[in-house]
Amino acid sequence: MLSPDDTLAFDGNRVVHLDCGRPRGLSREERALLFRYCFAHEVVSCPRCAQDFRQSELAADLVGTRTHLCPRCRMDLTERLREHLYGCALLPGEVRRSARVARAAARRLVKQSHELSDRADVLMREAEAAIAALRETMKRASGG
């Protein structure tokens, strides 16, 4: 099940998780932007340790498939890293705006697909109820 904050990929006409093991991990584009524009400066602060880190200093748990962890307390800093990316003044303005637009479009896509799915479920229940009512009416009309 996709949620608006998940990282998406496209498989033909289907929208899927980029990585089902890490549904909210950074996208390829986000990682590329961080590497290109933010590699040389601190990108995230751990709220538990009150320590700032560069991307290269972050830890990973390869067995648990978690990345972007605080090297001291192992807190997942992925969302804070993403916040830095979308607000970093070192990214050219056009690139930053384009990244925000892409993320917002993906969120809208997931939200609208949920709304369509919910509406389809309601219509299906209405159709099932109408068919059940028809069968009951037919049963009464035939005297059975």
mmCIF file of all heavy atoms in Angstrom, residues 2-4 8 104-120:
data_model
loop_
_atom_site.group_PDB
_atom_site.id
_atom_site.type_symbol
_atom_site.label_atom_id
_atom_site.label_comp_id
_atom_site.label_asym_id
_atom_site.label_seq_id
_atom_site.Cartn_x
_atom_site.Cartn_y
_atom_site.Cartn_z
ATOM 1 N N LEU A 2 0.634 2.144 -0.901
ATOM 2 C CA LEU A 2 1.420 3.370 -0.998
ATOM 3 C C LEU A 2 0.829 4.452 -0.104
ATOM 4 O O LEU A 2 -0.376 4.552 0.049
ATOM 5 C CB LEU A 2 1.415 3.872 -2.445
ATOM 6 C CG LEU A 2 2.064 2.965 -3.483
ATOM 7 C CD1 LEU A 2 1.795 3.499 -4.882
ATOM 8 C CD2 LEU A 2 3.545 2.840 -3.238
ATOM 9 N N SER A 3 1.709 5.258 0.470
ATOM 10 C CA SER A 3 1.250 6.429 1.218
ATOM 11 C C SER A 3 1.902 7.659 0.581
ATOM 12 O O SER A 3 2.928 7.549 -0.105
ATOM 13 C CB SER A 3 1.612 6.317 2.700
ATOM 14 O OG SER A 3 2.960 6.632 2.918
ATOM 15 N N PRO A 4 1.323 8.845 0.802
ATOM 16 C CA PRO A 4 1.839 10.046 0.141
ATOM 17 C C PRO A 4 3.307 10.361 0.427
ATOM 18 O O PRO A 4 3.962 11.011 -0.368
ATOM 19 C CB PRO A 4 0.928 11.156 0.674
ATOM 20 C CG PRO A 4 -0.344 10.465 1.008
ATOM 21 C CD PRO A 4 0.070 9.102 1.513
ATOM 22 N N LEU A 8 8.405 6.852 -4.707
ATOM 23 C CA LEU A 8 7.767 6.103 -5.780
ATOM 24 C C LEU A 8 8.683 5.867 -6.971
ATOM 25 O O LEU A 8 9.641 6.596 -7.194
ATOM 26 C CB LEU A 8 6.535 6.867 -6.268
ATOM 27 C CG LEU A 8 5.522 7.279 -5.209
ATOM 28 C CD1 LEU A 8 4.402 8.065 -5.855
ATOM 29 C CD2 LEU A 8 4.995 6.071 -4.479
ATOM 30 N N ALA A 104 5.849 16.910 -4.887
ATOM 31 C CA ALA A 104 4.429 17.254 -4.702
ATOM 32 C C ALA A 104 3.553 16.496 -5.689
ATOM 33 O O ALA A 104 2.462 16.023 -5.334
ATOM 34 C CB ALA A 104 4.230 18.764 -4.852
ATOM 35 N N ALA A 105 4.019 16.341 -6.921
ATOM 36 C CA ALA A 105 3.241 15.605 -7.935
ATOM 37 C C ALA A 105 3.092 14.139 -7.533
ATOM 38 O O ALA A 105 2.015 13.553 -7.685
ATOM 39 C CB ALA A 105 3.907 15.726 -9.299
ATOM 40 N N ALA A 106 4.149 13.550 -7.016
ATOM 41 C CA ALA A 106 4.080 12.152 -6.569
ATOM 42 C C ALA A 106 3.095 12.014 -5.409
ATOM 43 O O ALA A 106 2.308 11.060 -5.368
ATOM 44 C CB ALA A 106 5.465 11.656 -6.160
ATOM 45 N N ARG A 107 3.114 12.948 -4.481
ATOM 46 C CA ARG A 107 2.174 12.912 -3.357
ATOM 47 C C ARG A 107 0.726 13.024 -3.841
ATOM 48 O O ARG A 107 -0.151 12.303 -3.362
ATOM 49 C CB ARG A 107 2.479 14.035 -2.373
ATOM 50 C CG ARG A 107 3.668 13.757 -1.511
ATOM 51 C CD ARG A 107 3.895 14.898 -0.567
ATOM 52 N NE ARG A 107 4.705 14.447 0.542
ATOM 53 C CZ ARG A 107 5.237 15.238 1.432
ATOM 54 N NH1 ARG A 107 5.031 16.537 1.359
ATOM 55 N NH2 ARG A 107 5.961 14.753 2.410
ATOM 56 N N ARG A 108 0.492 13.943 -4.791
ATOM 57 C CA ARG A 108 -0.865 14.103 -5.336
ATOM 58 C C ARG A 108 -1.325 12.835 -6.029
ATOM 59 O O ARG A 108 -2.478 12.423 -5.912
ATOM 60 C CB ARG A 108 -0.922 15.284 -6.309
ATOM 61 C CG ARG A 108 -1.048 16.628 -5.646
ATOM 62 C CD ARG A 108 -1.416 17.734 -6.635
ATOM 63 N NE ARG A 108 -0.653 17.735 -7.870
ATOM 64 C CZ ARG A 108 0.542 18.298 -8.024
ATOM 65 N NH1 ARG A 108 1.118 18.925 -7.033
ATOM 66 N NH2 ARG A 108 1.163 18.246 -9.186
ATOM 67 N N LEU A 109 -0.423 12.205 -6.760
ATOM 68 C CA LEU A 109 -0.748 10.969 -7.462
ATOM 69 C C LEU A 109 -1.218 9.904 -6.476
ATOM 70 O O LEU A 109 -2.251 9.258 -6.695
ATOM 71 C CB LEU A 109 0.466 10.467 -8.246
ATOM 72 C CG LEU A 109 0.334 9.110 -8.912
ATOM 73 C CD1 LEU A 109 -0.744 9.127 -9.977
ATOM 74 C CD2 LEU A 109 1.669 8.688 -9.496
ATOM 75 N N VAL A 110 -0.492 9.714 -5.404
ATOM 76 C CA VAL A 110 -0.866 8.700 -4.415
ATOM 77 C C VAL A 110 -2.191 9.062 -3.758
ATOM 78 O O VAL A 110 -3.083 8.218 -3.624
ATOM 79 C CB VAL A 110 0.242 8.530 -3.357
ATOM 80 C CG1 VAL A 110 -0.228 7.641 -2.211
ATOM 81 C CG2 VAL A 110 1.486 7.948 -3.993
ATOM 82 N N LYS A 111 -2.345 10.313 -3.382
ATOM 83 C CA LYS A 111 -3.581 10.748 -2.723
ATOM 84 C C LYS A 111 -4.787 10.528 -3.636
ATOM 85 O O LYS A 111 -5.813 9.993 -3.219
ATOM 86 C CB LYS A 111 -3.477 12.211 -2.325
ATOM 87 C CG LYS A 111 -4.673 12.710 -1.566
ATOM 88 C CD LYS A 111 -4.525 14.158 -1.165
ATOM 89 C CE LYS A 111 -5.785 14.631 -0.474
ATOM 90 N NZ LYS A 111 -5.801 16.045 -0.222
ATOM 91 N N GLN A 112 -4.660 10.934 -4.889
ATOM 92 C CA GLN A 112 -5.788 10.787 -5.813
ATOM 93 C C GLN A 112 -6.065 9.323 -6.126
ATOM 94 O O GLN A 112 -7.216 8.924 -6.292
ATOM 95 C CB GLN A 112 -5.538 11.591 -7.083
ATOM 96 C CG GLN A 112 -5.661 13.085 -6.836
ATOM 97 C CD GLN A 112 -5.403 13.909 -8.082
ATOM 98 O OE1 GLN A 112 -5.127 13.381 -9.143
ATOM 99 N NE2 GLN A 112 -5.494 15.223 -7.930
ATOM 100 N N SER A 113 -5.041 8.496 -6.181
ATOM 101 C CA SER A 113 -5.280 7.073 -6.438
ATOM 102 C C SER A 113 -6.022 6.451 -5.261
ATOM 103 O O SER A 113 -6.887 5.593 -5.457
ATOM 104 C CB SER A 113 -3.980 6.336 -6.724
ATOM 105 O OG SER A 113 -3.183 6.228 -5.566
ATOM 106 N N HIS A 114 -5.725 6.891 -4.027
ATOM 107 C CA HIS A 114 -6.462 6.396 -2.862
ATOM 108 C C HIS A 114 -7.922 6.845 -2.928
ATOM 109 O O HIS A 114 -8.829 6.062 -2.622
ATOM 110 C CB HIS A 114 -5.835 6.886 -1.556
ATOM 111 C CG HIS A 114 -4.570 6.191 -1.194
ATOM 112 N ND1 HIS A 114 -4.496 4.826 -1.013
ATOM 113 C CD2 HIS A 114 -3.327 6.663 -0.982
ATOM 114 C CE1 HIS A 114 -3.258 4.491 -0.704
ATOM 115 N NE2 HIS A 114 -2.525 5.586 -0.683
ATOM 116 N N GLU A 115 -8.136 8.103 -3.315
ATOM 117 C CA GLU A 115 -9.505 8.613 -3.420
ATOM 118 C C GLU A 115 -10.297 7.834 -4.466
ATOM 119 O O GLU A 115 -11.455 7.481 -4.243
ATOM 120 C CB GLU A 115 -9.494 10.104 -3.752
ATOM 121 C CG GLU A 115 -9.002 10.974 -2.607
ATOM 122 C CD GLU A 115 -8.752 12.421 -3.012
ATOM 123 O OE1 GLU A 115 -8.939 12.770 -4.195
ATOM 124 O OE2 GLU A 115 -8.352 13.201 -2.132
ATOM 125 N N LEU A 116 -9.668 7.550 -5.610
ATOM 126 C CA LEU A 116 -10.340 6.769 -6.656
ATOM 127 C C LEU A 116 -10.639 5.355 -6.176
ATOM 128 O O LEU A 116 -11.709 4.810 -6.435
ATOM 129 C CB LEU A 116 -9.487 6.736 -7.925
ATOM 130 C CG LEU A 116 -9.374 8.054 -8.685
ATOM 131 C CD1 LEU A 116 -8.342 7.923 -9.800
ATOM 132 C CD2 LEU A 116 -10.706 8.489 -9.235
ATOM 133 N N SER A 117 -9.696 4.764 -5.476
ATOM 134 C CA SER A 117 -9.884 3.417 -4.950
ATOM 135 C C SER A 117 -11.019 3.396 -3.928
ATOM 136 O O SER A 117 -11.860 2.492 -3.945
ATOM 137 C CB SER A 117 -8.584 2.924 -4.309
ATOM 138 O OG SER A 117 -8.767 1.663 -3.736
ATOM 139 N N ASP A 118 -11.041 4.393 -3.045
ATOM 140 C CA ASP A 118 -12.117 4.478 -2.053
ATOM 141 C C ASP A 118 -13.470 4.633 -2.738
ATOM 142 O O ASP A 118 -14.450 3.999 -2.356
ATOM 143 C CB ASP A 118 -11.883 5.655 -1.094
ATOM 144 C CG ASP A 118 -10.692 5.437 -0.183
ATOM 145 O OD1 ASP A 118 -10.205 4.291 -0.093
ATOM 146 O OD2 ASP A 118 -10.238 6.429 0.435
ATOM 147 N N ARG A 119 -13.540 5.478 -3.762
ATOM 148 C CA ARG A 119 -14.787 5.694 -4.496
ATOM 149 C C ARG A 119 -15.212 4.408 -5.208
ATOM 150 O O ARG A 119 -16.392 4.051 -5.217
ATOM 151 C CB ARG A 119 -14.621 6.843 -5.506
ATOM 152 C CG ARG A 119 -15.847 7.149 -6.306
ATOM 153 C CD ARG A 119 -16.961 7.721 -5.444
ATOM 154 N NE ARG A 119 -18.141 7.949 -6.271
ATOM 155 C CZ ARG A 119 -19.363 7.691 -5.887
ATOM 156 N NH1 ARG A 119 -19.601 7.257 -4.677
ATOM 157 N NH2 ARG A 119 -20.375 7.899 -6.693
ATOM 158 N N ALA A 120 -14.246 3.698 -5.785
ATOM 159 C CA ALA A 120 -14.556 2.429 -6.451
ATOM 160 C C ALA A 120 -15.100 1.416 -5.442
ATOM 161 O O ALA A 120 -16.035 0.675 -5.754
ATOM 162 C CB ALA A 120 -13.324 1.875 -7.157
#
